[in-house]
Amino acid sequence: MESHSVESIETQILEPSKGTSFFRTCFNGINALSGIGIISIPYALSQGGWLCLMLLFLVAIICCYTGLLLQKCMSVSPSIKTYPDIGEFAFGNKGRILISIFLYLELYFVAIEILILEGDNLQNLFPNAKIHVGCVKIVAREVFVLLVAIVILPTTWLKSLSLLAYVSIGGVLASIVLVFSIFWIGAIDGIGFDEKGVICRWDGLISAISMYTFCYCGHAVFPTICNSMKDRSQFPKVLFVCFILSTITYGSMATMGYLMYGQNLMSQITLNLPTGKISSKIAIYTTIFNPITKYALVVSPIATAIEDKLPLRKSKYIVSYFIRTVLVISTIIVALTVPFFGYVMTFTGALLGVTVSILLPCLCYLKVKKPSYLEVVFICMILVFGFSVAISGTYTSLKNIISHV
């Protein structure tokens, strides 16, 4: 698998050849961190309790630091342009392949999460929807997953995704609209902020950390964002700005949601909202629309990587359409088989998010650079933390998924 399939999609958003300013780079970085995780951050807090809010800040600090480690790895050679390039420079072709696999798996599970999210929220709006195919009755959530997939499918056939790329930048605006909508529902529409919650839930800490890590999974595009800058020496400042603003957004959302619904929070806060309120509809429709624009951007790098490995000359476009259609169908099957947004998010954050955002940056840095003794000690502590979360979080999420399936 080659990294240019990921990079080709990123460049449609970032335009590295022109050189982006500090403020636009900050915008790109915040957009990379503004994903579907924001609707589940209150649920993550409810899993761990109020003290778990400190772990959100800890995960943010660690992920910001590992982002800086990636930039330091890139400074070793001008030939390093992407995350897989760092893996190859550190560990050879095996390193490139390993990082590419984790990146594409992460994208694949995000695509699955998008379909689950769409099905859950549309079912919340239209709970009585159903269709009959022969003697088979397909109920609301399954109906909407299929309908959304049919709508999205043609966008995955596009080779140029520049229009969708710019629309998807609306992720920053969508996050702002969502946070203000939740505040309005709590403060103005009568829900209130009266729930006390619990101080700590030890049995939910690992799940909470895994979901927090999912929210900060922007490392796949950090190298490209860095390369897009006019002045790459300012990239550390960009990271600080992006992580501070994103953490304020996530922290505010988590706190408001937990004060509104306490331990009754569902895996997506939009599922708790009263659907009759205009502010609730704004929040839900914002949640529904934005991920749809990102689905093709998520799936296309995977499809391109597969296509690049096939020696295609004749019928190239037909095979490309087939591969992308099969990918969409596979995500539909998984989304319908494992329709548990919170558990899938925990699994993705624990296994893939922790690996891509915490473990691999540390391992690559230790291999590429010659850090000081204190740096080695600090990085080893991060690695112990990362491996602990990856192992326990993956086990917990798989156990929950299997028990519910």
PDB file of all heavy atoms in Angstrom, residues 117-149:
ATOM      1  N   LEU A 117     -24.029   6.094  12.705  1.00  0.00           N
ATOM      2  CA  LEU A 117     -24.495   7.403  13.175  1.00  0.00           C
ATOM      3  C   LEU A 117     -25.714   7.857  12.379  1.00  0.00           C
ATOM      4  O   LEU A 117     -26.721   8.314  12.953  1.00  0.00           O
ATOM      5  CB  LEU A 117     -23.360   8.418  13.049  1.00  0.00           C
ATOM      6  CG  LEU A 117     -23.620   9.878  13.419  1.00  0.00           C
ATOM      7  CD1 LEU A 117     -22.319  10.508  13.911  1.00  0.00           C
ATOM      8  CD2 LEU A 117     -24.133  10.681  12.228  1.00  0.00           C
ATOM      9  N   GLU A 118     -25.630   7.749  11.046  1.00  0.00           N
ATOM     10  CA  GLU A 118     -26.738   8.186  10.197  1.00  0.00           C
ATOM     11  C   GLU A 118     -27.989   7.372  10.496  1.00  0.00           C
ATOM     12  O   GLU A 118     -29.097   7.926  10.624  1.00  0.00           O
ATOM     13  CB  GLU A 118     -26.361   8.031   8.719  1.00  0.00           C
ATOM     14  CG  GLU A 118     -25.162   8.853   8.266  1.00  0.00           C
ATOM     15  CD  GLU A 118     -25.421  10.345   8.329  1.00  0.00           C
ATOM     16  OE1 GLU A 118     -26.591  10.756   8.193  1.00  0.00           O
ATOM     17  OE2 GLU A 118     -24.456  11.106   8.514  1.00  0.00           O
ATOM     18  N   GLY A 119     -27.857   6.053  10.602  1.00  0.00           N
ATOM     19  CA  GLY A 119     -29.003   5.206  10.883  1.00  0.00           C
ATOM     20  C   GLY A 119     -29.645   5.523  12.220  1.00  0.00           C
ATOM     21  O   GLY A 119     -30.877   5.629  12.328  1.00  0.00           O
ATOM     22  N   ASP A 120     -28.816   5.715  13.259  1.00  0.00           N
ATOM     23  CA  ASP A 120     -29.341   5.991  14.597  1.00  0.00           C
ATOM     24  C   ASP A 120     -30.094   7.317  14.651  1.00  0.00           C
ATOM     25  O   ASP A 120     -31.193   7.408  15.221  1.00  0.00           O
ATOM     26  CB  ASP A 120     -28.197   6.007  15.616  1.00  0.00           C
ATOM     27  CG  ASP A 120     -27.645   4.622  15.904  1.00  0.00           C
ATOM     28  OD1 ASP A 120     -28.299   3.629  15.527  1.00  0.00           O
ATOM     29  OD2 ASP A 120     -26.551   4.534  16.487  1.00  0.00           O
ATOM     30  N   ASN A 121     -29.515   8.362  14.065  1.00  0.00           N
ATOM     31  CA  ASN A 121     -30.120   9.690  14.167  1.00  0.00           C
ATOM     32  C   ASN A 121     -31.353   9.843  13.286  1.00  0.00           C
ATOM     33  O   ASN A 121     -32.327  10.504  13.670  1.00  0.00           O
ATOM     34  CB  ASN A 121     -29.084  10.764  13.832  1.00  0.00           C
ATOM     35  CG  ASN A 121     -28.126  11.019  14.974  1.00  0.00           C
ATOM     36  OD1 ASN A 121     -28.437  11.755  15.909  1.00  0.00           O
ATOM     37  ND2 ASN A 121     -26.959  10.395  14.925  1.00  0.00           N
ATOM     38  N   LEU A 122     -31.342   9.239  12.099  1.00  0.00           N
ATOM     39  CA  LEU A 122     -32.525   9.288  11.254  1.00  0.00           C
ATOM     40  C   LEU A 122     -33.666   8.465  11.857  1.00  0.00           C
ATOM     41  O   LEU A 122     -34.832   8.837  11.760  1.00  0.00           O
ATOM     42  CB  LEU A 122     -32.180   8.798   9.843  1.00  0.00           C
ATOM     43  CG  LEU A 122     -31.363   9.786   9.002  1.00  0.00           C
ATOM     44  CD1 LEU A 122     -30.837   9.125   7.734  1.00  0.00           C
ATOM     45  CD2 LEU A 122     -32.204  11.014   8.648  1.00  0.00           C
ATOM     46  N   GLN A 123     -33.322   7.350  12.491  1.00  0.00           N
ATOM     47  CA  GLN A 123     -34.340   6.569  13.200  1.00  0.00           C
ATOM     48  C   GLN A 123     -34.934   7.379  14.342  1.00  0.00           C
ATOM     49  O   GLN A 123     -36.145   7.295  14.620  1.00  0.00           O
ATOM     50  CB  GLN A 123     -33.740   5.274  13.738  1.00  0.00           C
ATOM     51  CG  GLN A 123     -34.749   4.403  14.475  1.00  0.00           C
ATOM     52  CD  GLN A 123     -34.107   3.243  15.195  1.00  0.00           C
ATOM     53  OE1 GLN A 123     -32.979   3.337  15.668  1.00  0.00           O
ATOM     54  NE2 GLN A 123     -34.816   2.120  15.267  1.00  0.00           N
ATOM     55  N   ASN A 124     -34.106   8.175  15.010  1.00  0.00           N
ATOM     56  CA  ASN A 124     -34.575   9.022  16.092  1.00  0.00           C
ATOM     57  C   ASN A 124     -35.588  10.045  15.591  1.00  0.00           C
ATOM     58  O   ASN A 124     -36.559  10.377  16.288  1.00  0.00           O
ATOM     59  CB  ASN A 124     -33.386   9.727  16.749  1.00  0.00           C
ATOM     60  CG  ASN A 124     -33.753  10.410  18.057  1.00  0.00           C
ATOM     61  OD1 ASN A 124     -34.587   9.921  18.810  1.00  0.00           O
ATOM     62  ND2 ASN A 124     -33.136  11.549  18.325  1.00  0.00           N
ATOM     63  N   LEU A 125     -35.376  10.549  14.364  1.00  0.00           N
ATOM     64  CA  LEU A 125     -36.297  11.526  13.781  1.00  0.00           C
ATOM     65  C   LEU A 125     -37.553  10.864  13.219  1.00  0.00           C
ATOM     66  O   LEU A 125     -38.657  11.411  13.317  1.00  0.00           O
ATOM     67  CB  LEU A 125     -35.591  12.306  12.670  1.00  0.00           C
ATOM     68  CG  LEU A 125     -34.529  13.326  13.100  1.00  0.00           C
ATOM     69  CD1 LEU A 125     -33.836  13.905  11.872  1.00  0.00           C
ATOM     70  CD2 LEU A 125     -35.155  14.449  13.921  1.00  0.00           C
ATOM     71  N   PHE A 126     -37.376   9.685  12.614  1.00  0.00           N
ATOM     72  CA  PHE A 126     -38.494   8.991  11.966  1.00  0.00           C
ATOM     73  C   PHE A 126     -38.557   7.543  12.470  1.00  0.00           C
ATOM     74  O   PHE A 126     -38.208   6.604  11.747  1.00  0.00           O
ATOM     75  CB  PHE A 126     -38.327   9.020  10.450  1.00  0.00           C
ATOM     76  CG  PHE A 126     -38.033  10.387   9.888  1.00  0.00           C
ATOM     77  CD1 PHE A 126     -36.733  10.729   9.510  1.00  0.00           C
ATOM     78  CD2 PHE A 126     -39.035  11.335   9.763  1.00  0.00           C
ATOM     79  CE1 PHE A 126     -36.454  11.986   8.991  1.00  0.00           C
ATOM     80  CE2 PHE A 126     -38.768  12.594   9.254  1.00  0.00           C
ATOM     81  CZ  PHE A 126     -37.482  12.934   8.871  1.00  0.00           C
ATOM     82  N   PRO A 127     -39.009   7.346  13.706  1.00  0.00           N
ATOM     83  CA  PRO A 127     -38.938   6.015  14.334  1.00  0.00           C
ATOM     84  C   PRO A 127     -39.857   4.970  13.703  1.00  0.00           C
ATOM     85  O   PRO A 127     -39.626   3.774  13.869  1.00  0.00           O
ATOM     86  CB  PRO A 127     -39.345   6.295  15.787  1.00  0.00           C
ATOM     87  CG  PRO A 127     -40.151   7.550  15.723  1.00  0.00           C
ATOM     88  CD  PRO A 127     -39.563   8.356  14.618  1.00  0.00           C
ATOM     89  N   ASN A 128     -40.881   5.408  12.986  1.00  0.00           N
ATOM     90  CA  ASN A 128     -41.852   4.455  12.447  1.00  0.00           C
ATOM     91  C   ASN A 128     -41.587   4.066  10.997  1.00  0.00           C
ATOM     92  O   ASN A 128     -42.401   3.358  10.393  1.00  0.00           O
ATOM     93  CB  ASN A 128     -43.270   5.033  12.567  1.00  0.00           C
ATOM     94  CG  ASN A 128     -43.684   5.272  14.007  1.00  0.00           C
ATOM     95  OD1 ASN A 128     -43.392   4.446  14.872  1.00  0.00           O
ATOM     96  ND2 ASN A 128     -44.338   6.390  14.274  1.00  0.00           N
ATOM     97  N   ALA A 129     -40.491   4.519  10.449  1.00  0.00           N
ATOM     98  CA  ALA A 129     -40.189   4.206   9.050  1.00  0.00           C
ATOM     99  C   ALA A 129     -39.874   2.721   8.900  1.00  0.00           C
ATOM    100  O   ALA A 129     -39.158   2.136   9.718  1.00  0.00           O
ATOM    101  CB  ALA A 129     -39.008   5.044   8.571  1.00  0.00           C
ATOM    102  N   LYS A 130     -40.420   2.129   7.857  1.00  0.00           N
ATOM    103  CA  LYS A 130     -40.105   0.731   7.550  1.00  0.00           C
ATOM    104  C   LYS A 130     -40.522   0.444   6.119  1.00  0.00           C
ATOM    105  O   LYS A 130     -41.385   1.137   5.554  1.00  0.00           O
ATOM    106  CB  LYS A 130     -40.800  -0.238   8.513  1.00  0.00           C
ATOM    107  CG  LYS A 130     -42.312  -0.136   8.563  1.00  0.00           C
ATOM    108  CD  LYS A 130     -42.861  -1.168   9.522  1.00  0.00           C
ATOM    109  CE  LYS A 130     -44.377  -1.075   9.615  1.00  0.00           C
ATOM    110  NZ  LYS A 130     -44.859  -0.030  10.473  1.00  0.00           N
ATOM    111  N   ILE A 131     -39.915  -0.555   5.507  1.00  0.00           N
ATOM    112  CA  ILE A 131     -40.292  -0.977   4.164  1.00  0.00           C
ATOM    113  C   ILE A 131     -40.404  -2.498   4.143  1.00  0.00           C
ATOM    114  O   ILE A 131     -39.786  -3.187   4.960  1.00  0.00           O
ATOM    115  CB  ILE A 131     -39.283  -0.507   3.091  1.00  0.00           C
ATOM    116  CG1 ILE A 131     -37.882  -1.064   3.380  1.00  0.00           C
ATOM    117  CG2 ILE A 131     -39.253   0.995   2.965  1.00  0.00           C
ATOM    118  CD1 ILE A 131     -36.872  -0.756   2.283  1.00  0.00           C
ATOM    119  N   HIS A 132     -41.196  -3.009   3.213  1.00  0.00           N
ATOM    120  CA  HIS A 132     -41.369  -4.451   3.056  1.00  0.00           C
ATOM    121  C   HIS A 132     -40.803  -4.874   1.706  1.00  0.00           C
ATOM    122  O   HIS A 132     -41.146  -4.303   0.680  1.00  0.00           O
ATOM    123  CB  HIS A 132     -42.843  -4.835   3.145  1.00  0.00           C
ATOM    124  CG  HIS A 132     -43.432  -4.647   4.505  1.00  0.00           C
ATOM    125  ND1 HIS A 132     -43.443  -5.640   5.460  1.00  0.00           N
ATOM    126  CD2 HIS A 132     -44.023  -3.561   5.074  1.00  0.00           C
ATOM    127  CE1 HIS A 132     -44.022  -5.182   6.564  1.00  0.00           C
ATOM    128  NE2 HIS A 132     -44.386  -3.920   6.343  1.00  0.00           N
ATOM    129  N   VAL A 133     -39.914  -5.842   1.722  1.00  0.00           N
ATOM    130  CA  VAL A 133     -39.382  -6.426   0.494  1.00  0.00           C
ATOM    131  C   VAL A 133     -39.824  -7.891   0.485  1.00  0.00           C
ATOM    132  O   VAL A 133     -39.227  -8.743   1.148  1.00  0.00           O
ATOM    133  CB  VAL A 133     -37.845  -6.317   0.426  1.00  0.00           C
ATOM    134  CG1 VAL A 133     -37.334  -6.920  -0.879  1.00  0.00           C
ATOM    135  CG2 VAL A 133     -37.407  -4.858   0.552  1.00  0.00           C
ATOM    136  N   GLY A 134     -40.877  -8.148  -0.244  1.00  0.00           N
ATOM    137  CA  GLY A 134     -41.454  -9.497  -0.178  1.00  0.00           C
ATOM    138  C   GLY A 134     -42.039  -9.733   1.192  1.00  0.00           C
ATOM    139  O   GLY A 134     -42.871  -8.990   1.696  1.00  0.00           O
ATOM    140  N   CYS A 135     -41.668 -10.832   1.832  1.00  0.00           N
ATOM    141  CA  CYS A 135     -42.097 -11.086   3.215  1.00  0.00           C
ATOM    142  C   CYS A 135     -41.103 -10.585   4.241  1.00  0.00           C
ATOM    143  O   CYS A 135     -41.238 -10.849   5.424  1.00  0.00           O
ATOM    144  CB  CYS A 135     -42.335 -12.557   3.492  1.00  0.00           C
ATOM    145  SG  CYS A 135     -41.748 -13.691   2.380  1.00  0.00           S
ATOM    146  N   VAL A 136     -40.095  -9.834   3.817  1.00  0.00           N
ATOM    147  CA  VAL A 136     -39.063  -9.328   4.742  1.00  0.00           C
ATOM    148  C   VAL A 136     -39.369  -7.869   5.097  1.00  0.00           C
ATOM    149  O   VAL A 136     -39.589  -7.040   4.212  1.00  0.00           O
ATOM    150  CB  VAL A 136     -37.651  -9.414   4.112  1.00  0.00           C
ATOM    151  CG1 VAL A 136     -36.604  -8.845   5.071  1.00  0.00           C
ATOM    152  CG2 VAL A 136     -37.327 -10.843   3.745  1.00  0.00           C
ATOM    153  N   LYS A 137     -39.462  -7.610   6.405  1.00  0.00           N
ATOM    154  CA  LYS A 137     -39.682  -6.241   6.868  1.00  0.00           C
ATOM    155  C   LYS A 137     -38.354  -5.639   7.319  1.00  0.00           C
ATOM    156  O   LYS A 137     -37.664  -6.207   8.165  1.00  0.00           O
ATOM    157  CB  LYS A 137     -40.687  -6.219   8.023  1.00  0.00           C
ATOM    158  CG  LYS A 137     -41.011  -4.801   8.503  1.00  0.00           C
ATOM    159  CD  LYS A 137     -42.112  -4.791   9.546  1.00  0.00           C
ATOM    160  CE  LYS A 137     -41.597  -5.293  10.885  1.00  0.00           C
ATOM    161  NZ  LYS A 137     -42.587  -5.114  11.967  1.00  0.00           N
ATOM    162  N   ILE A 138     -38.014  -4.495   6.740  1.00  0.00           N
ATOM    163  CA  ILE A 138     -36.784  -3.776   7.118  1.00  0.00           C
ATOM    164  C   ILE A 138     -37.203  -2.564   7.925  1.00  0.00           C
ATOM    165  O   ILE A 138     -37.937  -1.698   7.441  1.00  0.00           O
ATOM    166  CB  ILE A 138     -35.981  -3.333   5.877  1.00  0.00           C
ATOM    167  CG1 ILE A 138     -35.717  -4.534   4.959  1.00  0.00           C
ATOM    168  CG2 ILE A 138     -34.664  -2.694   6.299  1.00  0.00           C
ATOM    169  CD1 ILE A 138     -34.994  -4.168   3.670  1.00  0.00           C
ATOM    170  N   VAL A 139     -36.741  -2.508   9.185  1.00  0.00           N
ATOM    171  CA  VAL A 139     -37.173  -1.452  10.101  1.00  0.00           C
ATOM    172  C   VAL A 139     -36.312  -0.217   9.960  1.00  0.00           C
ATOM    173  O   VAL A 139     -35.347  -0.177   9.199  1.00  0.00           O
ATOM    174  CB  VAL A 139     -37.166  -1.957  11.554  1.00  0.00           C
ATOM    175  CG1 VAL A 139     -38.194  -3.053  11.755  1.00  0.00           C
ATOM    176  CG2 VAL A 139     -35.779  -2.468  11.935  1.00  0.00           C
ATOM    177  N   ALA A 140     -36.681   0.828  10.747  1.00  0.00           N
ATOM    178  CA  ALA A 140     -36.182   2.192  10.547  1.00  0.00           C
ATOM    179  C   ALA A 140     -34.668   2.304  10.394  1.00  0.00           C
ATOM    180  O   ALA A 140     -34.181   2.827   9.392  1.00  0.00           O
ATOM    181  CB  ALA A 140     -36.657   3.071  11.699  1.00  0.00           C
ATOM    182  N   ARG A 141     -33.910   1.832  11.385  1.00  0.00           N
ATOM    183  CA  ARG A 141     -32.471   2.064  11.346  1.00  0.00           C
ATOM    184  C   ARG A 141     -31.840   1.399  10.137  1.00  0.00           C
ATOM    185  O   ARG A 141     -30.992   1.988   9.463  1.00  0.00           O
ATOM    186  CB  ARG A 141     -31.802   1.546  12.633  1.00  0.00           C
ATOM    187  CG  ARG A 141     -30.355   1.967  12.780  1.00  0.00           C
ATOM    188  CD  ARG A 141     -29.777   1.395  14.059  1.00  0.00           C
ATOM    189  NE  ARG A 141     -29.888  -0.052  14.093  1.00  0.00           N
ATOM    190  CZ  ARG A 141     -29.072  -0.873  13.420  1.00  0.00           C
ATOM    191  NH1 ARG A 141     -28.110  -0.378  12.668  1.00  0.00           N
ATOM    192  NH2 ARG A 141     -29.221  -2.174  13.494  1.00  0.00           N
ATOM    193  N   GLU A 142     -32.213   0.152   9.855  1.00  0.00           N
ATOM    194  CA  GLU A 142     -31.670  -0.548   8.690  1.00  0.00           C
ATOM    195  C   GLU A 142     -32.051   0.150   7.388  1.00  0.00           C
ATOM    196  O   GLU A 142     -31.249   0.253   6.464  1.00  0.00           O
ATOM    197  CB  GLU A 142     -32.168  -1.998   8.671  1.00  0.00           C
ATOM    198  CG  GLU A 142     -31.542  -2.904   9.722  1.00  0.00           C
ATOM    199  CD  GLU A 142     -32.173  -2.750  11.093  1.00  0.00           C
ATOM    200  OE1 GLU A 142     -33.153  -1.985  11.191  1.00  0.00           O
ATOM    201  OE2 GLU A 142     -31.689  -3.365  12.061  1.00  0.00           O
ATOM    202  N   VAL A 143     -33.307   0.640   7.336  1.00  0.00           N
ATOM    203  CA  VAL A 143     -33.775   1.376   6.150  1.00  0.00           C
ATOM    204  C   VAL A 143     -32.882   2.587   5.896  1.00  0.00           C
ATOM    205  O   VAL A 143     -32.433   2.826   4.767  1.00  0.00           O
ATOM    206  CB  VAL A 143     -35.244   1.839   6.327  1.00  0.00           C
ATOM    207  CG1 VAL A 143     -35.634   2.820   5.216  1.00  0.00           C
ATOM    208  CG2 VAL A 143     -36.181   0.652   6.324  1.00  0.00           C
ATOM    209  N   PHE A 144     -32.602   3.343   6.947  1.00  0.00           N
ATOM    210  CA  PHE A 144     -31.849   4.582   6.776  1.00  0.00           C
ATOM    211  C   PHE A 144     -30.368   4.325   6.478  1.00  0.00           C
ATOM    212  O   PHE A 144     -29.748   5.084   5.739  1.00  0.00           O
ATOM    213  CB  PHE A 144     -32.011   5.466   8.016  1.00  0.00           C
ATOM    214  CG  PHE A 144     -33.393   6.026   8.161  1.00  0.00           C
ATOM    215  CD1 PHE A 144     -34.133   5.803   9.310  1.00  0.00           C
ATOM    216  CD2 PHE A 144     -33.962   6.758   7.134  1.00  0.00           C
ATOM    217  CE1 PHE A 144     -35.413   6.304   9.443  1.00  0.00           C
ATOM    218  CE2 PHE A 144     -35.248   7.267   7.253  1.00  0.00           C
ATOM    219  CZ  PHE A 144     -35.976   7.042   8.405  1.00  0.00           C
ATOM    220  N   VAL A 145     -29.801   3.273   7.049  1.00  0.00           N
ATOM    221  CA  VAL A 145     -28.424   2.921   6.703  1.00  0.00           C
ATOM    222  C   VAL A 145     -28.329   2.608   5.210  1.00  0.00           C
ATOM    223  O   VAL A 145     -27.405   3.070   4.517  1.00  0.00           O
ATOM    224  CB  VAL A 145     -27.934   1.713   7.542  1.00  0.00           C
ATOM    225  CG1 VAL A 145     -26.610   1.180   6.982  1.00  0.00           C
ATOM    226  CG2 VAL A 145     -27.755   2.113   9.003  1.00  0.00           C
ATOM    227  N   LEU A 146     -29.293   1.846   4.700  1.00  0.00           N
ATOM    228  CA  LEU A 146     -29.299   1.497   3.280  1.00  0.00           C
ATOM    229  C   LEU A 146     -29.529   2.723   2.400  1.00  0.00           C
ATOM    230  O   LEU A 146     -28.847   2.907   1.381  1.00  0.00           O
ATOM    231  CB  LEU A 146     -30.376   0.443   3.007  1.00  0.00           C
ATOM    232  CG  LEU A 146     -30.131  -0.940   3.621  1.00  0.00           C
ATOM    233  CD1 LEU A 146     -31.359  -1.825   3.444  1.00  0.00           C
ATOM    234  CD2 LEU A 146     -28.909  -1.612   2.988  1.00  0.00           C
ATOM    235  N   LEU A 147     -30.465   3.574   2.793  1.00  0.00           N
ATOM    236  CA  LEU A 147     -30.760   4.769   2.000  1.00  0.00           C
ATOM    237  C   LEU A 147     -29.579   5.724   1.959  1.00  0.00           C
ATOM    238  O   LEU A 147     -29.232   6.271   0.905  1.00  0.00           O
ATOM    239  CB  LEU A 147     -31.989   5.484   2.565  1.00  0.00           C
ATOM    240  CG  LEU A 147     -33.346   4.808   2.333  1.00  0.00           C
ATOM    241  CD1 LEU A 147     -34.459   5.599   3.004  1.00  0.00           C
ATOM    242  CD2 LEU A 147     -33.618   4.665   0.841  1.00  0.00           C
ATOM    243  N   VAL A 148     -28.947   5.938   3.109  1.00  0.00           N
ATOM    244  CA  VAL A 148     -27.777   6.820   3.159  1.00  0.00           C
ATOM    245  C   VAL A 148     -26.649   6.255   2.304  1.00  0.00           C
ATOM    246  O   VAL A 148     -25.975   6.987   1.573  1.00  0.00           O
ATOM    247  CB  VAL A 148     -27.304   7.019   4.625  1.00  0.00           C
ATOM    248  CG1 VAL A 148     -25.925   7.677   4.663  1.00  0.00           C
ATOM    249  CG2 VAL A 148     -28.305   7.863   5.389  1.00  0.00           C
ATOM    250  N   ALA A 149     -26.445   4.941   2.374  1.00  0.00           N
ATOM    251  CA  ALA A 149     -25.398   4.302   1.573  1.00  0.00           C
ATOM    252  C   ALA A 149     -25.672   4.478   0.079  1.00  0.00           C
ATOM    253  O   ALA A 149     -24.740   4.724  -0.718  1.00  0.00           O
ATOM    254  CB  ALA A 149     -25.289   2.828   1.924  1.00  0.00           C
TER     255      ALA A 149
END
